[in-house]
Amino acid sequence: MAIRRPLDGMLVLDLGQIYNGPYCGMLLGFMGARVLKIEPPEGDVVRRRKRDVEPYPLVMLNSNKESVVLDLKHERGKQIFLDLARKADVVVENFAVGVMDRLGIGWEVLRTVNPRLVYGGSSGYGLDGPYRSLAAMDVTIQAMSGIMSATGQQDGPPTKAGPAVCDFMAGIHLCAGILGALVQRERTGEGQRVEVAMHEAAVIGLASALGAMMDGDANVPERTGNRHPALAIAPYNTYPCADGHVAIFTSAERHWQAMCGLLGRADLLEAPGYATMPERAQRMAEIDDMISAWTIGRTKEEVMGLLNEAHVPCSIVKTVREVAQDPHLEARGFWVDVDHPRRGRTRVPISPIRLHTGGRAEIRTPAPTLGQHTDAVLAELLGLGPDERAALAASGTTTPVR
């Protein structure tokens, strides 16, 4: 008997743009939901980065979705969306506050159309508060949340994190909130609104830096480079090797003891100023110099092998290219090669969420081209005939911009 996935039979209308909303929609799709990617005639913002072929991030984040083009500023387009919402279980959007209301398809309208609907929305700063109307993108949220202030070298400027951490943290929280609301709907029969502010989701990641501030440690700078955010652990840093860098983290006394053995410095185990973690944290620069002198004459693979054998937490600092070819991710089946109709053979990830009794995460279809499924969806779900579908296309309501 085929395994039923948790969201099999559920319909999601994904209005998400860029990374935040689309990632949430993708996770729901991997759990079995049918996800309709509702796009304006010009397409998702990411889709517009390249006109000749779909940009990789769009293909990466929109597996298992169907693209339906609807001009929501057109009265008939709005009506079609409301008709789809009557059949939907979930709506996902990450527009600025007020956009959905101005379009006439906000929560108050949708809850009347479909009381069982779960409406998941993620904005920059939330539905209320003094920042609610501020424009928000990942980089601005990194700045406002403190992530940028906490990133970089102590004597350098605030620096954004390389990845779009705020977009994806918000998307993960939005997915979790929607799943919780679906569970509650099973108990009450009623849907609800789920709200996630990117700002709040990002602040959670500052646990160690906030800890230093909340605990009143005035000696900890805002930025600590690759050292511990609260400067509470040593060694904790990246160290140079003959062919790159490794990251080393000693969170327990047994790690420090093993490290001393590798360094040939068993004398430090009893030496004054090294006996406890707080004492070692006061000698951070000295300890870093000792470890760098040991790593610099070895390759990163050699260092990692020795540290792993000694059970000291460590990792090679991998480049993006190395991550794309990582043998562990290969063995786990994280990367899947799909045949995209315009890009050709393209490598994309599956969901990091693995439900061991809820069906394996599979890419059933690659990310769609703009409006690829509009005609079929309107015929199947709304029963629109060929003449009406043709009229909608002729009016520009359902025709993509090419």
Side-chain angles (χ1 to χ4, degrees):
M1 185 175 70
I3 297 175
R4 276 183 60 84
R5 292 164 298 181
L7 302 185
D8 275 350
M10 292 192 178
L11 179 63
V12 176
L13 306 183
D14 179 0
L15 290 157
Q17 298 279 302
I18 310 181
Y19 298 161
N20 177 350
Y23 186 58
C24 172
M26 188 188 82
L27 293 175
L28 297 173
F30 272 115
M31 288 186 236
R34 181 180 184 181
V35 181
L36 304 185
K37 182 175 179 64
I38 309 296
E39 301 190 67
E42 63 272 22
D44 183 329
V45 174
V46 172
R47 194 186 290 277
R48 301 174 216 167
R49 293 178 184 174
K50 291 184 179 181
R51 283 296 182 188
D52 55 335
V53 68
E54 280 70 13
Y56 180 78
L58 183 125
V59 176
M60 174 182 174
L61 298 176
N62 290 281
S63 297
N64 301 332
K65 298 181 186 181
E66 301 166 63
S67 174
V68 175
V69 165
L70 285 178
D71 186 349
L72 298 176
K73 297 177 181 178
H74 192 289
E75 190 60 33
R76 187 66 179 113
K78 180 177 74 174
Q79 188 56 56
I80 290 172
F81 179 81
L82 292 174
D83 290 342
L84 289 171
R86 288 185 176 91
K87 298 175 177 290
D89 296 279
V90 175
V91 165
V92 175
E93 58 93 358
N94 62 302
F95 293 124
V97 172
V99 168
M100 290 287 282
D101 292 328
R102 289 194 295 274
L103 290 170
I105 54 173
W107 165 240
E108 295 302 329
V109 172
L110 294 180
R111 70 188 300 190
T112 302
V113 167
N114 181 356
R116 286 178 53 81
L117 184 71
V118 171
Y119 178 106
S122 178
S123 62
Y125 299 98
L127 298 175
D128 53 15
Y131 299 163
R132 69 182 294 272
S133 297
L134 292 180
M137 297 293 286
D138 186 272
V139 67
T140 63
I141 298 297
Q142 286 198 36
M144 191 71 83
S145 68
I147 287 178
M148 191 177 291
S149 178
T151 305
Q153 296 300 324
Q154 180 176 344
D155 56 354
T159 305
K160 82 174 189 69
V165 289
C166 300
D167 272 326
F168 287 100
M169 288 180 74
I172 294 165
H173 281 83
L174 186 60
C175 179
I178 288 169
L179 294 175
L182 288 171
V183 170
Q184 189 169 16
R185 189 182 72 174
E186 291 300 304
R187 297 170 177 166
T188 67
E190 295 182 358
Q192 64 175 290
R193 185 171 200 167
V194 177
E195 176 199 357
V196 171
M198 293 173 66
H199 186 213
E200 294 167 4
V203 168
I204 297 297
L206 292 173
S208 293
L210 284 169
M213 186 273 293
M214 296 290 190
D215 291 340
D217 192 338
N219 296 319
V220 177
E222 285 190 326
R223 290 177 291 286
T224 60
N226 293 320
R227 289 173 168 169
H228 188 264
L231 297 181
I233 299 173
Y236 180 118
N237 210 334
T238 57
Y239 300 91
C241 298
D243 59 348
H245 290 78
V246 293
I248 301 174
F249 171 28
T250 55
S251 60
E253 290 301 319
R254 66 181 184 278
H255 300 148
W256 169 244
Q257 292 162 7
M259 195 77 242
C260 287
L262 290 170
L263 294 173
R265 294 297 307 272
D267 59 298
L268 295 179
L269 297 176
E270 305 294 334
Y274 293 90
T276 67
M277 185 74 74
E279 287 178 305
R280 293 193 293 276
Q282 297 301 312
R283 296 174 177 266
M284 194 169 290
E286 179 185 331
I287 290 173
D288 281 348
D289 287 344
M290 282 192 291
I291 294 177
S292 293
W294 178 75
T295 59
I296 192 65
R298 296 171 169 83
T299 67
K300 55 192 179 185
E301 290 286 354
E302 182 183 0
V303 170
M304 187 170 174
L306 291 168
L307 290 171
N308 274 323
E309 187 176 349
H311 303 292
V312 177
C314 65
S315 174
I316 292 170
V317 179
K318 293 203 169 189
T319 65
V320 173
R321 186 174 300 278
E322 287 172 328
V323 171
Q325 300 168 349
D326 190 295
H328 177 79
L329 294 176
E330 289 280 359
R332 292 267 295 166
F334 178 75
W335 295 115
V336 177
D337 292 323
V338 299
D339 291 314
H340 188 270
R342 279 157 55 93
R343 286 184 61 98
R345 200 74 167 163
T346 304
R347 169 160 288 201
V348 294
I350 63 168
S351 171
I353 300 172
R354 305 201 179 200
L355 303 175
H356 285 218
T357 58
R360 176 177 170 78
E362 295 178 336
I363 295 181
R364 303 179 297 282
T365 58
T369 56
L370 179 59
Q372 180 180 342
H373 304 92
T374 304
D375 206 54
V377 166
L378 297 187
E380 176 194 349
L381 294 183
L382 302 184
L384 301 188
D387 291 344
E388 186 171 5
R389 300 198 307 271
L392 287 167
S395 70
T397 305
T398 61
T399 301
V401 173
R402 298 298 184 185

